[in-house]
Amino acid sequence: MNKSADLKAEEVETFWRIVVRCLRDVFGKSDWDASQLVSDMKSKMKGLTEEARLLVYHDAPIQVAANLAGVAHRPLGDREVLEYEELLKQEYPEALTEDNIPPNSSELLEGYFRRPRFD
């Protein structure tokens, strides 16, 4: 298993920037609340094992943001999926070429957010 220390700093920074944007743009949190939720999460991660810290980065940023926003118990709404897709287009414009068309993120997210929850 790779170590979280092996992750590139730029990739980690991008991951958390997208989480903050999801909290703000998709889930309606204020800039301050979004930054505080991410800061708190990063602090909590320091107490996790190396393997547990690495697992955080296996989730999509929208999944982490939904957990932090307290809405992971429900499916994403259509507007939220569209907001996330737009956010990804802004963050990764180089991925949007004819030769490299990314899969529809709503289809990818459907398996996570539309599955039944047994909380």
Side-chain angles (χ1 to χ4, degrees), residues 76-91:
L76 281 178
D78 291 339
R79 182 198 59 80
E80 292 167 328
V81 170
L82 291 173
E83 291 281 344
Y84 185 57
E85 288 176 342
E86 184 59 34
L87 189 151
L88 290 178
K89 288 176 189 174
Q90 293 169 9
E91 288 290 335

Side-chain angles (χ1 to χ4, degrees), residues 14-27 29-31 33-39 42 61 65 68 87:
T14 298
F15 180 89
W16 289 111
R17 182 177 61 246
I18 294 172
V19 171
V20 167
R21 289 192 63 193
C22 287
L23 285 164
R24 188 187 66 221
D25 301 343
V26 177
F27 299 118
K29 299 293 183 186
S30 69
D31 288 337
D33 286 340
S35 295
Q36 192 63 43
L37 286 166
V38 167
S39 178
K42 288 179 177 179
L68 293 175
L87 189 151

Side-chain angles (χ1 to χ4, degrees), residues 37-92:
L37 286 166
V38 167
S39 178
D40 291 349
M41 177 66 177
K42 288 179 177 179
S43 292
K44 289 176 185 175
M45 286 176 63
K46 291 177 184 175
L48 298 176
T49 65
E50 184 70 23
E51 290 80 15
R53 279 193 302 274
L54 188 60
L55 285 174
V56 170
Y57 297 106
H58 281 270
D59 281 340
I62 189 77
Q63 294 168 314
V64 174
N67 284 323
L68 293 175
V71 299
H73 64 282
R74 63 164 177 79
L76 281 178
D78 291 339
R79 182 198 59 80
E80 292 167 328
V81 170
L82 291 173
E83 291 281 344
Y84 185 57
E85 288 176 342
E86 184 59 34
L87 189 151
L88 290 178
K89 288 176 189 174
Q90 293 169 9
E91 288 290 335
Y92 300 107

Side-chain angles (χ1 to χ4, degrees), residues 81 85 101-109:
V81 170
E85 288 176 342
I101 299 173
N104 183 330
S105 60
S106 61
E107 292 173 9
L108 292 174
L109 295 171

